[in-house]
Amino acid sequence: PGGSETLEPLVQLKGEHLNVAKISESGKKQRKNWTLMWSILTSDQLLLYKERQQETSQQKPGSKTDVVQLCGAFIEWTTEKSSRKNVFQITTNTGSEYLLQTDSYSTASKWYDAIRKTIDSSVRT
Ligand code: I3P
């Protein structure tokens, strides 16, 4: 590992716009603020960008708005934390909580399934 991952992460799911709300950071509750984020799933991280990234070229360095570490994380669907539909929550092993949402159920479940697989495989290694 190391070296090339910032240029070419092992992309599991290509970029797509998802609504994201970070509701806590290191166990500290945050004010909910839904933001449309360009999301890319790699083999161990969920990368969240404010702006859409080109698929063909390298990711712009420094343009990542947030990186969700998936090793040791926990994912679950939730109907209690939002009035929106198709909401799931990722809790990282450092106690940050993210809500992710999109109106398309098939898109939401595609991301849910892929992230869950990533979490499961990171636990085994
Ligand atoms: C929040 C905003 C969110 C809403 C949240 C509100 O208000 O309307 O969209 O979450 O509801 O508190 P504000 O912008 O004033 O912070 P949902 O869209 O997910 O329902 P909540 O407090 O019930 O989480």
Side-chain angles (χ1 to χ4, degrees), residues 70-86:
L70 295 175
C71 182
F74 183 72
I75 187 170
E76 63 181 339
W77 290 104
T78 175
T79 52
E80 282 145 36
K81 305 227 170 149
S82 173
S83 59
R84 299 182 177 210
K85 61 179 179 179
N86 311 325

Side-chain angles (χ1 to χ4, degrees), residues 37-119:
M37 304 294 283
W38 187 253
S39 308
I40 295 175
L41 179 65
T42 74
S43 54
D44 60 351
Q45 295 175 331
L46 180 66
L47 309 177
L48 301 173
Y49 296 87
K50 231 183 274 176
E51 285 161 31
R52 184 180 184 142
Q53 304 290 306
Q54 297 296 328
E55 319 260 308
T56 47
S57 66
Q58 299 166 353
Q59 309 299 317
K60 281 183 249 164
S63 63
K64 275 193 277 301
T65 302
D66 212 343
V67 177
V68 184
Q69 299 293 346
L70 295 175
C71 182
F74 183 72
I75 187 170
E76 63 181 339
W77 290 104
T78 175
T79 52
E80 282 145 36
K81 305 227 170 149
S82 173
S83 59
R84 299 182 177 210
K85 61 179 179 179
N86 311 325
V87 180
F88 59 87
Q89 175 173 337
I90 301 171
T91 307
T92 70
N93 67 354
T94 56
S96 291
E97 298 177 306
Y98 297 83
L99 299 181
L100 283 83
Q101 188 267 344
T102 182
D103 282 346
S104 155
Y105 174 71
S106 63
T107 303
S109 46
K110 179 182 74 182
W111 281 85
Y112 176 91
D113 289 343
I115 294 168
R116 191 173 41 76
K117 271 186 205 148
T118 298
I119 292 173

